[in-house]
Amino acid sequence: MNADRELLLDMTDLRKDFEGLMAVFDVSFPVRRGEIVSLIGPNGAGKTTIFNLITGVLPATSGSVRYRGRELRGLRPHQINALGLARTFQNVRLFGNMTVLENVMVGRHARTRYGALSTAFRLPAARRAEREIRERAMRELARVGLEPKAGEGSLSLPFGQQRLLEIARALATEPSLLLLDEAGSGLNGAEKDDLGRLIRSLRGSGITILLVEHDIPFVMGLSDRVVVLEHGVLIADGTPAQVQGDPRVIAAYLGEEVGGKC
C-alpha cells in the first residue's frame, strides 16, 4: 500500500543474543515515511529490545539497521537522535527535580548549537538560543495539551500526563521518526482516545510513528501496518486486517484478542 513512499527505517536480519539467549532472531521489516507501524507480541517477544537496538541503547549481535540509507549500528544514542529519531520508554523517565517545561527544554537542548563560553557569560547568542528553546518547548507542551502545567513539578502530574510529557520532550528534538514504547500503558479509555488523536495529528504533521503497544483494539484501529513478534521471531507483517486473520498471530495470542473480537 505504501511501497511508493520513502523508505525511512530498514531492519535486515537483526539479531540480539544475550549470552546464548536469542532475544531477537533475524528480524527484518521496513518503516516508510508517513506510516503508523505497530510492533506487537506477547510479553518477552523482543519488542523493547528492537527499540533499544534501533536507538543505540543496545548493540546488535548482527544484522543491519538503516535510517534513510545510513547504518545506525555503532552510533551512540545521541548521534542517532541527531539524525531524526526520538523515543519514549516503557517506564516513564522524567527529571523529577525539574518542572514540566524544563523537562521539555532538556530535549530541545539537543538541537542547540552554542558554546560553553557563550553560556557561561550569557552572551547574546546564548540568550537567543535559550529564548528559542523555551518557546519551542512551550509549543510542544501545547501540542500535547500540557501548556497550562508548564510551571508544575514533572512528578506532580497524573501518570497519563507524565506519558504525554515524555512525548513532548521527544518532539522537542524535531524527530522525523518517533518510537513510542507502550505509550498507552496505564491510560484509561478517555486518555487512550486522546493519545490516538495525538498520534494521528503527529503523522499529519509529517512524523512517522513506530509504536509498541499491548492494547490490540487500539493498535488495529490506529495502525497502517502491524508487525508481530513471538519469542524474538517475526511471524507476521501486514495491514491490521491481514494480521487479524493470520493463524500464527491468532495462535500467539491464544485465539482471543487478535481473532474476530477486535
Side-chain angles (χ1 to χ4, degrees), residues 102-216:
E102 288 167 344
N103 266 268
V104 183
M105 289 175 68
V106 168
R108 187 61 193 166
H109 270 284
R111 289 295 185 188
T112 303
R113 298 290 183 268
Y114 61 91
L117 190 62
S118 296
T119 305
F121 289 97
R122 302 296 295 163
L123 297 181
R127 292 198 299 272
R128 286 195 300 271
E130 198 68 15
R131 280 197 305 273
E132 188 278 335
I133 289 169
R134 180 176 294 271
E135 290 168 0
R136 181 60 183 255
M138 288 298 292
R139 289 200 299 273
E140 300 304 347
L141 286 175
R143 183 186 272 194
V144 303
L146 291 180
E147 189 177 15
K149 306 281 188 178
E152 298 183 14
S154 61
L155 299 186
S156 70
L157 296 179
F159 183 73
Q161 292 184 350
Q162 290 186 26
R163 289 238 182 244
L164 292 174
L165 175 54
E166 198 175 37
I167 292 173
R169 187 175 60 194
L171 292 172
T173 69
E174 294 186 53
S176 298
L177 175 63
L178 179 60
L179 289 76
L180 300 175
D181 194 353
E182 296 195 29
S185 176
L187 304 188
N188 62 36
E191 289 171 333
K192 195 158 284 188
D193 288 344
D194 289 342
L195 176 63
R197 283 189 287 271
L198 173 62
I199 290 172
R200 290 186 184 93
S201 74
L202 294 177
R203 192 258 293 276
S205 70
I207 298 174
T208 302
I209 307 292
L210 180 59
L211 174 74
V212 165
E213 180 56 55
H214 280 289
D215 185 330
I216 300 304

Side-chain angles (χ1 to χ4, degrees), residues 206-233:
I207 298 174
T208 302
I209 307 292
L210 180 59
L211 174 74
V212 165
E213 180 56 55
H214 280 289
D215 185 330
I216 300 304
F218 179 77
V219 163
M220 296 302 173
L222 181 68
S223 308
D224 299 306
R225 280 180 39 238
V226 180
V227 176
V228 189
L229 296 178
E230 184 182 20
H231 302 304
V233 177

Side-chain angles (χ1 to χ4, degrees), residues 5-159:
R5 292 182 179 176
E6 175 192 2
L7 183 60
L8 204 60
L9 183 72
D10 191 23
M11 283 159 281
T12 306
D13 297 330
L14 196 58
R15 190 179 288 195
K16 181 59 182 178
D17 183 346
F18 291 102
E19 298 181 351
L21 175 63
M22 194 63 69
V24 174
F25 185 74
D26 289 352
V27 168
S28 302
F29 67 90
V31 178
R32 297 186 180 277
R33 183 177 54 82
E35 286 188 311
I36 299 174
V37 178
S38 288
L39 185 59
I40 68 171
N43 288 333
K47 304 180 297 296
T48 294
T49 299
I50 285 181
F51 268 30
N52 288 337
L53 297 176
I54 293 170
T55 56
V57 174
L58 290 174
T61 302
S62 61
S64 174
V65 184
R66 292 184 175 274
Y67 178 73
R68 286 181 164 155
R70 176 169 179 175
E71 179 61 58
L72 299 184
R73 285 189 62 195
L75 298 183
R76 298 175 65 84
H78 73 274
Q79 295 172 315
I80 293 172
N81 176 252
L83 294 176
L85 289 83
R87 70 170 295 181
T88 65
F89 290 86
Q90 184 176 354
N91 299 313
V92 175
R93 300 184 182 183
L94 298 176
F95 298 102
N97 61 336
M98 294 184 180
T99 66
V100 167
L101 175 61
E102 288 167 344
N103 266 268
V104 183
M105 289 175 68
V106 168
R108 187 61 193 166
H109 270 284
R111 289 295 185 188
T112 303
R113 298 290 183 268
Y114 61 91
L117 190 62
S118 296
T119 305
F121 289 97
R122 302 296 295 163
L123 297 181
R127 292 198 299 272
R128 286 195 300 271
E130 198 68 15
R131 280 197 305 273
E132 188 278 335
I133 289 169
R134 180 176 294 271
E135 290 168 0
R136 181 60 183 255
M138 288 298 292
R139 289 200 299 273
E140 300 304 347
L141 286 175
R143 183 186 272 194
V144 303
L146 291 180
E147 189 177 15
K149 306 281 188 178
E152 298 183 14
S154 61
L155 299 186
S156 70
L157 296 179
F159 183 73

